[in-house]
């Protein structure tokens, strides 16, 4: 049961960071990512910095930026927003609307992540942005996929605790695009439409348009339909 009241000392003990932990990407709290920079650079979602200690410089990517910032700008932050580079030495704390943070250490591997759910990535991680054009206009803002590959840390966010569903040959998995967080590299999603069911429910996204995953792999789904922005 969640504690309803604290003495000041109890609050300090529970909420204080753990100084003994100094991993590069570290889960300080369920919804708080701590990044320990030692003359390093990372890329994070714009506006996700909540605090830092030390000598850390921040740089926002402009609307006309190319390369990594240009690719991820739209996928992670939406139209008109920008990304943030952080470099230097110190402790950086990131969060995104109270969503839970999951840290993944890729070891010469690759996964696909919904662009809205990428919180941070190590500079060594390569990326490629794609969009399921068939879902553009059907799901608010379309659906951007970020392929993250290589060796290093990434951090993704979820509303609540996600569930991992296994995909096997002959047993596809269907998901709501707005609840789909990530999936294994060897799966390529397609869009399945069910207009009749969607019309019956009276909604225009999740129920009438689903992502279909076929093959061998897994899909990570959160217990929440997240709509970040609306494409006009």
């Amino acid at each position: 049961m969640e504690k309803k009241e604290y003495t000041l000392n109890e609050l300090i003990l529970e909420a204080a960071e753990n100084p003994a932990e100094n991993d590069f990407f570290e889960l300080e709290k369920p919804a708080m990512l701590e990044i320990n920079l030692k003359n390093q650079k990372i890329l994070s979602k714009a506006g996700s910095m909540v605090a830092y200690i030390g000598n850390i410089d921040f740089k926002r990517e402009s609307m006309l930026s190319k390369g990594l910032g240009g690719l991820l700008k739209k996928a992670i932050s939406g139209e008109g927003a920008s990304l943030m580079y952080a470099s230097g030495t110190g402790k950086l704390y990131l969060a995104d609307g109270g969503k839970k943070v999951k840290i993944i250490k890729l070891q010469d591997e690759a996964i696909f992540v919904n662009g809205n759910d990428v919180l941070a990535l190590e500079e060594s991680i390569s990326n490629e942005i794609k969009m399921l054009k068939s879902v553009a206009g059907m799901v608010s803002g379309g659906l951007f996929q970020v392929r993250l590959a290589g060796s290093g840390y990434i951090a993704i966010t979820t509303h609540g605790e996600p569930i991992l569903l296994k995909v096997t040959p002959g047993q596809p998995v269907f998901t709501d695009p707005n609840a789909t967080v990530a999936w294994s590299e060897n799966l390529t999603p397609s869009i399945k439409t069910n207009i009749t069911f969607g019309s019956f429910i009276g909604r225009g996204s999740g129920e009438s348009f689903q992502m279909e995953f076929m093959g061998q792999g897994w899909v990570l789904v959160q217990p929440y339909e997240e709509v970040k922005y609306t494409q006009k």
Side-chain angles (χ1 to χ4, degrees):
M1 182 179 296
E2 184 178 353
K3 193 174 178 64
K4 294 183 178 180
E5 60 182 48
Y6 297 83
T7 66
L8 183 56
N9 284 338
E10 286 174 336
L11 176 63
I12 291 171
L13 287 173
E14 181 173 302
E17 69 154 347
N18 186 346
E21 297 179 354
N22 287 287
D23 292 336
F24 189 9
F25 277 41
E26 176 185 318
L27 190 61
E28 182 61 36
K29 300 292 180 182
M32 182 85 69
L33 175 67
E34 176 185 313
I35 300 179
N36 291 288
L37 292 168
K38 298 177 182 178
N39 196 26
Q40 295 160 299
K41 177 193 262 187
I42 61 98
L43 180 65
S44 67
K45 192 171 187 175
S48 62
M49 187 276 287
V50 295
Y52 72 93
I53 301 170
N55 185 17
I56 300 176
D57 293 323
F58 300 94
K59 177 184 177 184
R60 284 178 173 265
E61 286 298 302
S62 67
M63 287 291 292
L64 300 178
S65 66
K66 304 296 183 181
L68 185 61
L71 287 172
L72 290 181
K73 169 183 67 65
K74 194 172 183 180
I76 295 179
S77 305
E79 283 286 3
S82 58
L83 291 178
M84 177 177 67
Y85 286 98
S87 60
T89 299
K91 292 179 178 290
L92 172 63
Y93 298 92
L94 304 176
D96 183 14
K99 294 166 66 177
K100 292 195 172 182
V101 179
K102 304 294 182 185
I103 300 172
I104 303 170
K105 187 174 183 180
L106 297 179
Q107 297 176 311
D108 196 22
E109 300 164 303
I111 66 169
F112 283 91
V113 183
N114 186 323
N116 284 333
D117 301 317
V118 177
L119 179 62
L121 58 147
E122 196 172 339
E123 190 180 19
S124 60
I125 298 295
S126 65
N127 69 87
E128 181 181 3
I129 302 300
K130 293 184 178 180
M131 180 179 180
L132 288 179
K133 294 183 180 179
S134 57
V135 81
M138 302 175 187
V139 177
S140 296
L143 181 67
F144 288 90
Q145 312 168 46
V146 184
R147 182 181 183 271
L148 301 175
S151 295
Y153 286 103
I154 65 173
I156 65 175
T157 56
T158 65
H159 284 280
E161 285 297 335
I163 183 173
L164 188 143
L165 304 174
K166 291 186 177 180
V167 182
T168 57
Q171 189 65 53
V173 170
F174 302 91
T175 67
D176 184 323
N178 289 324
T180 308
V181 176
W183 55 93
S184 52
E185 179 189 20
N186 51 319
L187 296 179
T188 301
S190 60
I191 296 301
K192 175 180 171 61
T193 61
N194 191 332
I195 301 299
T196 302
F197 181 57
S199 300
F200 174 75
I201 296 296
R203 300 189 58 184
S205 60
E207 281 75 23
S208 55
F209 301 99
Q210 301 119 35
M211 295 179 73
E212 179 179 10
F213 294 89
M214 300 181 66
Q216 185 80 42
W218 53 265
V219 183
L220 192 68
V221 181
Q222 65 185 2
Y224 185 91
E225 295 176 85
E226 181 176 23
V227 181
K228 281 289 188 180
Y229 56 92
T230 301
Q231 184 167 323
K232 298 180 180 180

